Amino acid sequence: MADKVHITVVVNGVEHHHEVEPRLLLVHYLRETLGLTGTHVGCDTSQCGACTVHLDGQAVKSCTMFAVQADGCSITTIEGLGSPGSLHPVQEGFWEMHGLQCGFCTPGMIMAAVDLLNKNPNPSEAEIRHALEGNYCRCTGYHNIVRAVQYAADKMAGKVAMAADD
Amino acid sequence: MYTAEFAYKKATSVAEAIQLLQQHPEAKLLAGGHSLIPAMKLRLAAPPALIDISKVAELRGVRREGDTLVVGAMTTYRELETSDLLKAHCPLIPQAVYHIGDPMVRAKGTIGGSLAHADPAADLPASMLALGAKMKIQGPSGARVVEADQFFTGMFSTALQEGEILTEIHLPIRPGARMAYAKFPHPASRSAVVGVAVVVDGTEVRAAVTGAGEHAMRLTKLEQALAGKPLTTENISAACQGLLAPDHLNHDLVASREYRAHLVDVMAKRALMQAAGL
């Protein structure tokens, strides 16, 4: 077996140290070593986006990088985004707008959407669709997913709360 | 899917990367990994060692040196897309990059990784040829510079020799030049079935195509047809006909040779119309 490599990563705010085989993919490190199974393996060929996590603030496909490449990095997975009692606005948007059916693509879809809103808080519908090109949903179609992201953008801009007050 | 086993080496400088390549001649350089890792997962590639150069600081970023923009080979697509220097002096690159893959791919993929890989369907090679870019290559015997026209030599083949690393891409600043990229994306992978880049610099037209043949190439017939002519709709339409013979073009499930030849004409026209503001 190839020599193991020591890595230090911060995942959802917690520092981890592990000796890993170089060929261990980041997604398997997250799911099997750390037990964070919210990040999904979909196509395993860099296309579907179900494995999307944030690496130093950028959305990446965790099936297309090795855990050793994340050494020294800070990672956020779906588990680090919100909690059942306090959902992230994008999670709330998927809930409110019924942005999922089977839910398999949802963690990656949400991580990609959060990445978009971090960079562009007020995206057009075309910009939302362009930003989600790397995330495949095979059951609902994308209409409600786009509405969920729009809901989140409004919520983060304070517009949803204002509407509720009316 | 798991790749075959390999040893992992992380380089912190170009000099160290060159040294590691000499120690591990069968190793592959790891940049963004978005071509290499999928190939390794499918066991199409099984290098015994990977030398990670993605974090080498001297290989990252865009800077201006006189009338040239110097782009580090490990600059990511995302960094190219958002570079103020490129937006101001070479908007062709951010425009072409915007349509590469998806945001996650653009966060990891690098310009040098793509050019060195020389996938016949990669987007940026066409822009390199249309712009007249130069490739700085470093190896154990020093540095050399290769013109983009001499860099792409075949399918997945470049002028890079064993032990060498593509370190910088030099883009000439062309004040006042108008430029555009038009692409027909593959419906699933978003790579270029055909992509045409054009640069209109005064009366000179430079154009190149990717996706059509074994490697990106200049559209010399188009360049000659439009040389010195005003870019009117009539002139552009007349020039964009039968630019490439189908015989030696790529063919696959998505596009036959004949359809690709047709797409070259259509994409060339779209790029020129956009560059001309028509």
Side-chain angles (χ1 to χ4, degrees):
Chain A
M1 187 189 288
D3 287 345
K4 287 194 172 183
V5 176
H6 184 86
I7 62 167
T8 302
V9 290
V10 174
V11 181
N12 301 332
V14 180
E15 189 170 301
H16 298 274
H17 301 267
H18 283 100
E19 304 286 327
V20 298
E21 217 189 323
R23 65 174 175 167
L24 180 67
L25 294 168
L26 179 60
V27 68
H28 294 311
Y29 174 73
L30 295 171
R31 288 177 57 85
E32 290 157 26
T33 309
L34 300 185
L36 296 169
T37 53
T39 303
H40 292 169
V41 181
C43 68
D44 210 0
T45 56
S46 324
Q47 309 201 31
C48 80
C51 65
T52 301
V53 300
H54 292 183
L55 180 82
D56 287 341
Q58 297 260 23
V60 298
K61 293 182 180 178
S62 61
C63 83
T64 310
M65 61 180 289
F66 299 111
V68 288
Q69 291 174 275
D71 181 33
C73 293
S74 178
I75 295 163
T76 305
T77 69
I78 190 73
E79 289 92 342
L81 210 55
S83 57
S86 167
L87 296 179
H88 184 281
V90 175
Q91 292 172 311
E92 188 182 308
F94 274 71
W95 176 295
E96 292 293 336
M97 295 294 137
H98 192 57
L100 62 141
Q101 194 164 296
C102 85
F104 190 85
C105 73
T106 311
M109 203 63 87
I110 288 175
M111 296 312 285
V114 172
D115 183 56
L116 165 67
L117 295 179
N118 286 343
K119 291 165 181 163
N120 179 2
N122 187 25
S124 65
E125 180 182 338
E127 286 170 335
I128 294 171
R129 290 182 183 275
H130 181 70
L132 296 179
E133 269 199 347
N135 294 84
Y136 295 178
C137 164
R138 298 288 80 157
C139 44
T140 69
Y142 297 89
H143 184 69
N144 283 358
I145 292 172
V146 172
R147 291 178 69 207
V149 180
Q150 287 169 329
Y151 174 98
D154 287 348
K155 171 100 183 183
M156 288 161 87
K159 290 181 193 166
V160 171
M162 279 164 59
D165 290 343
D166 290 342
Chain B
M1 285 181 283
Y2 275 82
T3 69
E5 289 183 4
F6 60 87
Y8 177 79
K9 310 283 173 190
K10 187 150 74 176
T12 54
S13 67
V14 172
E16 188 186 5
I18 291 170
Q19 202 175 25
L20 284 166
L21 265 180
Q22 286 182 292
Q23 289 163 9
H24 305 274
E26 300 298 313
K28 279 278 190 189
L29 294 171
L30 177 62
H34 274 50
S35 297
L36 179 58
I37 295 174
M40 289 173 68
K41 287 167 78 175
L42 295 169
R43 307 275 173 138
L44 297 170
L50 290 185
I51 300 167
D52 188 348
I53 56 170
S54 63
K55 303 233 169 105
V56 175
E58 61 191 293
L59 291 178
R60 297 197 71 153
V62 183
R63 65 179 193 275
R64 183 175 183 163
E65 285 183 9
D67 55 4
T68 302
L69 292 180
V70 178
V71 183
M74 291 302 101
T75 308
T76 64
Y77 291 134
R78 168 82 189 149
E79 290 160 351
L80 299 173
E81 200 182 338
T82 55
S83 159
D84 290 334
L85 273 174
L86 287 172
K87 281 191 224 167
H89 301 293
C90 196
L92 180 61
I93 302 293
Q95 192 207 344
V97 166
Y98 185 73
H99 295 285
I100 294 175
D102 55 58
M104 289 79 87
V105 170
R106 296 197 290 277
K108 291 295 290 175
T110 65
I111 182 171
S114 170
L115 298 178
H117 185 55
D119 190 313
D123 289 280
L124 286 182
S127 299
M128 296 298 115
L129 293 169
L131 287 164
K134 293 181 168 71
M135 313 295 171
K136 184 178 176 188
I137 294 169
Q138 287 177 252
S141 50
R144 63 192 180 105
V145 174
V146 175
E147 301 272 349
D149 281 320
Q150 273 78 52
F151 185 76
F152 304 103
T153 57
M155 199 171 270
F156 301 109
S157 300
T158 68
L160 285 162
Q161 300 296 313
E162 263 184 46
E164 288 188 327
I165 301 174
L166 173 61
T167 54
E168 286 173 0
I169 294 91
H170 295 183
L171 305 172
I173 293 176
R174 297 171 173 272
R178 291 166 291 166
M179 39 191 84
Y181 180 66
K183 165 185 179 178
F184 188 90
H186 186 286
S189 73
R190 320 310 286 170
S191 57
V193 176
V194 166
V196 174
V198 298
V199 174
V200 182
D201 191 354
T203 56
E204 184 194 15
V205 174
R206 296 176 60 97
V209 62
T210 191
E214 283 199 342
H215 58 86
M217 56 191 141
R218 294 274 292 276
L219 290 170
T220 47
K221 191 174 169 186
L222 177 64
E223 293 176 355
Q224 286 158 11
L226 287 171
K229 285 190 190 163
L231 284 187
T232 61
T233 306
E234 294 73 27
N235 286 343
I236 291 170
S237 299
C240 293
Q241 284 182 34
L243 291 173
L244 291 178
D247 316 22
H248 302 293
L249 299 190
N250 299 335
H251 61 103
D252 53 30
L253 279 175
V254 173
S256 65
R257 292 185 177 94
E258 290 72 20
Y259 183 49
R260 268 197 169 76
H262 171 69
L263 283 177
V264 174
D265 293 349
V266 174
M267 293 303 126
K269 184 175 174 183
R270 281 188 193 170
L272 283 162
M273 296 288 279
Q274 193 190 327
L278 294 168

